[in-house]
Amino acid sequence: MLLMLLLVSSILVCYAGNLNGDFDITWGDGRGKILNNGQLLTLSLDRASGSGFQSKHEYLFGKIDMQIKLVPGNSAGTVTTYYLSSKRSTWDEIDLEFLGNLSGDPYILHTNIYTQGKGDREQQFYLWFDPTSNFHTYSILWNPQRIILSVDGTPIREFKNLEASIGVPFPKSQPMRIFSSLWNADDWATRGGLVKTDWSQAPFTASYQNFNANACVWSSGASSCSSSSSSTSRPTSKSWLKEVLDTSKQERLKWVQKNYMIYNYCIDIKRFPQGLPPECRIKL
């Protein structure tokens, strides 16, 4: 009974509605703030410094949602990152970076997936809405079979576990924390660095709310989902562990990639003259 209570409590920790219980502001000298009794988190950037936060927990698989409102107006040169990372020498990482732009020009959502320290799996997208006027939900589904990145419930990218079939490593054994930051990257972020940050518009601010992680919390070398017992109090709470894209979501994924994808490493023959990466040579 004690084991079951510990298991349930460790699973429910990640449902905490108060951001103070989920995250620590890790840098920025006061530029990162948790406000409104833990219901809102903001990161700011000025000429002196950006800011960032990280999750209190590590996760080994999960379905993680965060609502984000990006820097409005002239955000050129700024980058807002939101990602999972194991932060080891041969790290795993699931990466979303929002590249700012001049007023009226679209943000670029830059995605990448690192396995055992190797990335180079970039896909970039425009968004089909203004991500600065309201909060929108950015989701990472990470289970042993696949990684699915979604925006407001619409999948934009799927990375399948092909380790057994073709030997491409998949993030499956390193627990990861959530990280986010707002920082100046005007040497590359906007039009390859041609457009610089306009510091007269500072401070730049990104906002976060309504975090939810239905996930396996990693603590003291063990996962809160290690028990396979069917007697847990939430019998459907782990359905994401086997979640796949149904037909409708597959069609939405195709729609996004046809209309809003602006870069795909899997078709960049010039970048890979010796041959595309192995995961790109099969139908994903």
Side-chain angles (χ1 to χ4, degrees), residues 174-191:
Q174 297 187 42
M176 296 194 270
R177 290 187 191 276
I178 301 166
F179 296 87
S180 187
S181 62
L182 174 58
W183 54 290
N184 178 46
D186 65 4
D187 56 334
W188 65 271
T190 306
R191 300 182 187 176

Side-chain angles (χ1 to χ4, degrees), residues 25-284:
I25 305 295
T26 50
W27 64 283
D29 194 23
R31 293 171 179 83
K33 299 177 181 179
I34 299 178
L35 307 167
N36 298 351
N37 295 317
Q39 300 305 302
L40 179 70
L41 190 156
T42 62
L43 295 181
S44 293
L45 163 70
D46 57 32
R47 188 184 288 272
S49 178
S51 51
F53 66 84
Q54 71 179 45
S55 62
K56 293 180 183 293
H57 299 294
E58 291 184 297
Y59 307 97
L60 186 61
F61 304 123
K63 190 171 186 178
I64 296 168
D65 304 322
M66 177 72 87
Q67 289 189 342
I68 305 174
K69 183 164 65 173
L70 296 176
V71 174
N74 182 1
S75 58
T78 71
V79 174
T80 305
T81 68
Y82 180 71
Y83 60 101
L84 288 166
S85 180
S86 60
K87 291 295 184 182
R88 300 180 183 178
S89 58
T90 53
W91 72 100
D92 293 338
E93 184 169 310
I94 304 169
D95 195 18
L96 290 83
E97 298 186 356
F98 302 90
L99 311 185
N101 216 331
L102 295 168
S103 297
D105 290 342
Y107 263 82
I108 292 174
L109 172 50
H110 173 100
T111 71
N112 203 350
I113 294 172
Y114 289 78
T115 58
Q116 299 178 12
K118 182 184 183 302
D120 297 331
R121 298 185 178 96
E122 299 92 345
Q123 291 182 352
Q124 294 183 334
F125 306 84
Y126 288 141
L127 296 169
W128 49 96
F129 53 83
D130 178 1
T132 72
S133 61
N134 290 297
F135 285 91
H136 292 270
T137 303
Y138 301 91
S139 303
I140 300 172
L141 169 67
W142 169 37
N143 66 30
Q145 297 82 39
R146 57 188 36 82
I147 294 165
I148 300 172
L149 306 181
S150 300
V151 179
D152 289 338
T154 294
I156 64 170
R157 179 172 187 175
E158 181 180 28
F159 183 79
K160 293 183 178 179
N161 184 350
L162 302 172
E163 190 160 351
S165 58
I166 61 173
V168 176
F170 184 84
K172 65 184 187 302
S173 58
Q174 297 187 42
M176 296 194 270
R177 290 187 191 276
I178 301 166
F179 296 87
S180 187
S181 62
L182 174 58
W183 54 290
N184 178 46
D186 65 4
D187 56 334
W188 65 271
T190 306
R191 300 182 187 176
L194 294 177
V195 181
K196 301 300 184 182
T197 303
D198 180 0
W199 293 110
S200 70
Q201 304 296 312
F204 304 97
T205 301
S207 303
Y208 304 75
Q209 67 177 20
N210 290 341
F211 168 73
N212 183 63
N214 190 350
C216 301
V217 175
W218 186 266
S219 179
S220 302
S223 168
S224 64
C225 297
S226 59
S227 172
S228 59
S229 170
S230 60
S231 60
T232 64
S233 62
R234 295 178 59 93
T236 62
S237 65
K238 299 180 189 176
S239 60
W240 55 267
L241 272 169
K242 296 183 179 179
E243 186 171 331
V244 300
L245 292 177
D246 60 22
T247 301
S248 174
K249 288 194 173 182
Q250 288 178 23
E251 290 302 314
R252 294 291 289 173
L253 176 65
K254 292 177 183 177
W255 173 78
V256 170
Q257 296 192 342
K258 177 182 178 181
N259 293 287
Y260 295 98
M261 179 183 283
I262 59 173
Y263 177 78
N264 182 4
Y265 78 108
C266 270
I267 60 173
D268 193 345
I269 298 174
K270 290 184 178 179
R271 181 180 176 187
F272 301 103
Q274 305 304 316
L276 293 172
E279 68 268 24
C280 299
R281 301 174 204 160
I282 65 173
K283 184 176 179 58
L284 296 180

